[in-house]
Amino acid sequence: MFWSKNEAVPPRPAFSEAAPLPQLTSQYMSQAYPDYLQLVQAQVFFRHGERSPVAARLTDRQPWAFCHRGNYLHAEFMKAINQFVPLHEDLPVPNPGRIGGSNAKYTRKTATLKSGVEYEPAKWNVRLGSEGPPPPRAPAAWSPATCEMGQLTDIGLDSLYRTGAYLRALYADKLRLVPRDAPAARHALYVRTTDYSRVIQSTHALLAGLFPTRDASWPAFNSEFLQKFAIHTRLHQDETMHGNFGCYNFIRQFLNISMPDARKDKWIDDVYRQTVQLASIGDSVRQVTDRPMFGSNFHFVYDELIALAAHGLPLPSDVTRAHLDSLGRVAHHQWMHPVHPLAGQRLGFGRLLNDVVQTMVQAAELQADASVPRMGAQTAGNLLLAPGGVRAPTADEAPAVPRLALYGCHDVTIGPLALAMGHMDPDWLPYASMLTFELFRDHATPPPQPAQRDLPRPPTVAAPLDTAGRYVRVRLNDKVLELPTCQAHGKHHTRMGPSLCTLDAFLEHVAPIIGTEADYTEECGAMPTTLDIDKK
C-alpha cells in the first residue's frame, strides 16, 4: 500500500489517474455541512479503480504485472462463491515442499507468492457466470502478478481503499451517518455492484477502507467477508447500471459507429488525422478505428493509453498528454452523445434513476424513532454474493432503507447520470469517480419563498409525500452540480443557494426522465431478432 495506517485518507501516488477527493478541512465541513442541516441519506455511485486495458492493440506492453494482490483476492472470492476454476493444471510450483501431503494434482495447481502466501490462482472472468475464461496461458507466461485484460490492478485496489477511507472519514467519523463498526453499520448500508469482476473487487476494496481492520491489514475476500457485508448484484439482463441495452431505440444509437460518420465533425477529424500520423501507434490506430464499432471508435485507443499513464508507465514517445486528453474527449463525445437528448436519458437510464428516487423518497418519509422499513421494488432482480454461491436473497435478507447506499459501477454509468444532472464537462471520467446524491432535512431555516411545492413528479412517486424541509445535493467527485431546475427562486435552500435543491425541485428535474414500465415498452420499440453488434 502507499500509506501508513495512521493516515485518515491515504495519499495518492504521484502518477495517479484516480478522481480527486474533497479535502475534509474544518472550513470545508462547516460550509458543506453546516449545523442546521441534518444528513439523512447518501447514495454513492463509484467507478471501479485502475485496471489493465480491455485490449492491448497499440503497444507491446506484455505482460501487465500489476495484479499480485488482486490475483490472490480474486481466487479467494471465486472460492467463496463456489465459482473457482483453476488457472492451469501445469502451473510450476516454486516451493512444493511447503504444501505438505502427497496430492500431486493439488500441488500442480498451487503457486506461492513472494510473501509466502499459498493459493490456487483462479481463471479470470471479466463477468460472473456469463462469459467463459480466456484461453489458458502457457505455464511459463504466468506469474502471480500477471493481469488479464480488463482486470483491476493493485493500484486500482488501493484507489478504492482510499475512496472507502474518505467515505469513512466523512460519513462515519465526521457526520455520524453510519456507525464506524461494520456489524453495527450492516443494516444502515445497501451495497450493490454490477457483475463485472473489476467492480466486485473494487467494492471489496472500498468496504475495506470504509471499515478497516484494527491493524490496517488488507482483509481477505472470503466467506467471512461476504457474511459481514450483504453485497448485491444482478444478472446482466436485469442490470440497470449498464444502460438499458434491451431497449432497441436506445441501443441502436450505439450500433456500427463508423469513422467516416464520426469525421464529419471537424474537431474529431482533426484528432483522427493527428493520431494516425503518429509514428509509434498511427498504423495500429487506423486498424482499430477504421471499422464500425459499438459506442466509440476512439475508446479502445484512449483506454489503452490512459491505462499506461495510470500505472506510472510512459506513453509512446510522440503522444503528449494533451493529445491523450483529446482522445478521451472524442471517446466521451461518442459514448455520451446518445444520452444528451432527453429520450436517451429516459430510455437508457430512467429505470436506474428511479431506483435512486425510490430509495431517496423512502428515506424522506422516515420519521424520527420510527422503525425502518425494507426497500421496495428498486431491489427487484437483486442477487446476493453469498458464501457458497450467488443466490436470491430470502425475505428476511431484504435490505432496509439505507442511510448509505453504495453502487459499484462504470464510467458509462456515472457519465450519463451526471449528464442528466446537468454536468457538461467533455472529459472522460477518471477511475474511482463518485457521483453522490445526498438527502438533507432542515426544520430550522425558513422555507424558500415563494414556496414552489406543486411541481411535476415522476409517475412512480406516489402522493401524498411530505417534502417540507427536505433538500437534495448532487456531487461529482469534488464538485457540486447545480441542477438547472433548481436555479429559480423557491426551488433551493435559502442559505445554501442553488447547490441545494428542494426535494420538490429535484423530483421535478428527474420527472421527464423517469417513466413507467408501460412507457418504456411503448417507447423502446420492438427489438429485431438479430443485431449487428461489434463490441470487440
Side-chain angles (χ1 to χ4, degrees):
M1 296 185 190
F2 294 114
W3 61 89
S4 76
K5 64 183 180 181
N6 296 321
E7 294 174 285
V9 179
R12 305 193 321 166
F15 55 80
S16 177
E17 293 291 335
L21 296 171
Q23 298 297 310
L24 302 181
T25 63
S26 56
Q27 179 182 9
Y28 173 85
M29 292 301 298
S30 64
Q31 292 176 347
Y33 300 94
D35 292 341
Y36 52 82
L37 289 180
Q38 175 195 357
L39 181 62
V40 176
Q41 183 188 71
Q43 298 187 66
V44 181
F45 288 82
F46 61 93
R47 186 191 175 193
H48 58 76
E50 292 90 327
R51 55 163 173 73
S52 57
V54 295
R57 299 175 174 178
L58 308 180
T59 65
D60 57 359
R61 178 77 195 182
Q62 290 290 343
W64 277 75
F66 296 93
C67 296
H68 191 267
R69 191 183 334 126
N71 280 331
Y72 174 59
L73 293 172
H74 175 64
E76 282 187 315
F77 169 71
M78 296 300 277
K79 285 183 178 180
I81 62 170
N82 201 30
Q83 291 197 19
F84 174 82
V85 178
L87 179 68
H88 200 285
E89 284 286 330
D90 297 318
L91 278 175
V93 181
N95 190 356
R98 289 177 56 87
I99 296 171
S102 58
N103 189 331
K105 186 175 182 181
Y106 182 84
T107 300
R108 287 199 305 271
K109 291 188 283 187
T110 303
T112 303
L113 293 173
K114 294 178 182 178
S115 65
V117 178
E118 294 170 353
Y119 74 101
E120 288 186 274
K123 284 184 177 177
W124 173 253
N125 279 354
V126 175
R127 289 183 37 230
L128 292 178
S130 61
E131 295 181 9
R137 292 178 178 272
W142 186 87
S143 79
T146 299
C147 308
E148 293 289 351
M149 295 293 95
Q151 183 174 353
L152 186 78
T153 64
D154 293 350
I155 290 172
L157 282 168
D158 288 343
S159 290
L160 266 295
Y161 186 103
R162 191 179 304 114
T163 300
Y166 162 80
L167 294 176
R168 177 180 179 83
L170 177 61
Y171 291 131
D173 295 344
K174 295 184 180 295
L175 298 176
R176 305 299 173 93
L177 179 67
V178 294
R180 302 178 78 251
D181 180 64
R186 180 181 174 92
H187 296 294
L189 290 178
Y190 173 60
V191 184
R192 179 180 151 197
T193 167
T194 67
D195 68 346
Y196 276 67
S197 295
R198 56 179 171 263
V199 185
I200 294 172
Q201 283 195 290
S202 293
T203 302
H204 166 250
L206 183 144
L207 289 170
L210 181 56
F211 300 102
T213 58
R214 291 187 177 182
D215 62 355
S217 61
W218 198 270
F221 198 8
N222 54 16
S223 294
E224 182 181 349
F225 191 91
L226 295 178
Q227 288 171 337
K228 183 185 297 185
F229 299 102
I231 303 176
H232 302 84
T233 191
R234 295 185 183 180
L235 297 176
H236 194 63
Q237 63 266 28
D238 298 327
E239 184 57 76
T240 58
M241 289 197 286
H242 296 310
N244 184 11
F245 288 121
C247 173
Y248 177 63
N249 283 332
F250 179 68
I251 193 175
R252 68 184 180 88
Q253 305 296 323
F254 296 86
L255 298 177
N256 298 317
I257 306 299
S258 72
M259 186 55 70
D261 285 342
R263 292 177 64 186
K264 290 177 182 178
D265 287 337
K266 176 64 166 60
W267 73 280
I268 295 179
D269 180 64
D270 290 341
V271 174
Y272 174 82
R273 287 186 293 102
Q274 293 165 19
T275 306
V276 297
Q277 290 170 10
L278 296 172
S280 62
I281 61 172
D283 290 343
S284 297
V285 168
R286 184 179 285 107
Q287 293 176 16
V288 170
T289 60
D290 278 6
R291 58 188 177 87
M293 303 286 282
F294 182 87
S296 170
N297 312 82
F298 287 82
H299 183 256
F300 279 116
V301 180
Y302 175 73
D303 180 72
E304 187 170 347
L305 296 177
I306 196 64
L308 292 173
H311 292 84
L313 301 173
L315 296 172
S317 58
D318 49 358
V319 177
T320 66
R321 181 60 200 226
H323 194 153
L324 173 60
D325 291 341
S326 69
L327 290 166
R329 292 188 190 101
V330 177
H332 181 275
H333 172 79
Q334 290 187 310
W335 264 110
M336 299 302 149
H337 181 73
V339 290
H340 272 269
L342 174 60
Q345 296 175 19
R346 180 177 171 90
L347 297 182
F349 292 90
R351 284 192 176 108
L352 177 58
L353 197 51
N354 185 55
D355 291 347
V356 174
V357 166
Q358 295 302 320
T359 303
M360 183 184 295
V361 166
Q362 283 188 297
E365 291 180 317
L366 289 177
Q367 301 299 318
D369 301 324
S371 60
V372 179
R374 298 189 186 275
M375 299 175 72
Q378 68 268 41
T379 63
N382 277 5
L383 300 172
L384 270 178
L385 299 178
V390 182
R391 60 172 177 79
T394 65
D396 290 339
E397 292 172 324
V401 176
R403 296 180 187 174
L404 178 60
L406 303 169
Y407 303 89
C409 59
H410 306 262
D411 40 16
V412 293
T413 311
I414 296 176
L417 286 180
L419 195 153
M421 298 298 113
H423 179 66
M424 301 302 293
D425 192 306
D427 292 319
W428 196 267
L429 286 172
Y431 299 106
S433 285
M434 285 191 294
L435 182 69
T436 304
F437 297 85
E438 293 177 319
L439 174 66
F440 295 90
R441 182 177 289 126
D442 180 3
H443 291 309
T445 305
Q449 297 295 332
Q452 298 196 34
R453 301 284 298 279
D454 189 18
L455 299 173
R457 292 179 181 174
T460 55
V461 175
L465 172 64
D466 182 10
T467 58
R470 274 77 164 180
Y471 299 89
V472 178
R473 179 166 61 201
V474 183
R475 183 189 305 279
L476 179 62
N477 298 325
D478 59 349
K479 298 179 181 178
V480 173
L481 303 184
E482 295 189 356
L483 278 61
T485 310
C486 304
Q487 302 299 308
H489 291 297
K491 293 187 177 183
H492 53 254
H493 194 277
T494 55
R495 299 170 70 177
M496 297 292 289
S499 67
L500 199 62
C501 294
T502 64
L503 178 55
D504 288 297
F506 177 80
L507 294 176
E508 179 193 13
H509 182 80
V510 300
I513 304 173
I514 297 173
T516 65
E517 287 304 310
D519 293 333
Y520 297 136
T521 299
E522 178 181 354
E523 296 168 20
C524 282
M527 182 70 74
T529 54
T530 59
L531 283 177
D532 183 15
I533 301 178
D534 186 351
K535 293 186 178 181
K536 295 182 179 180

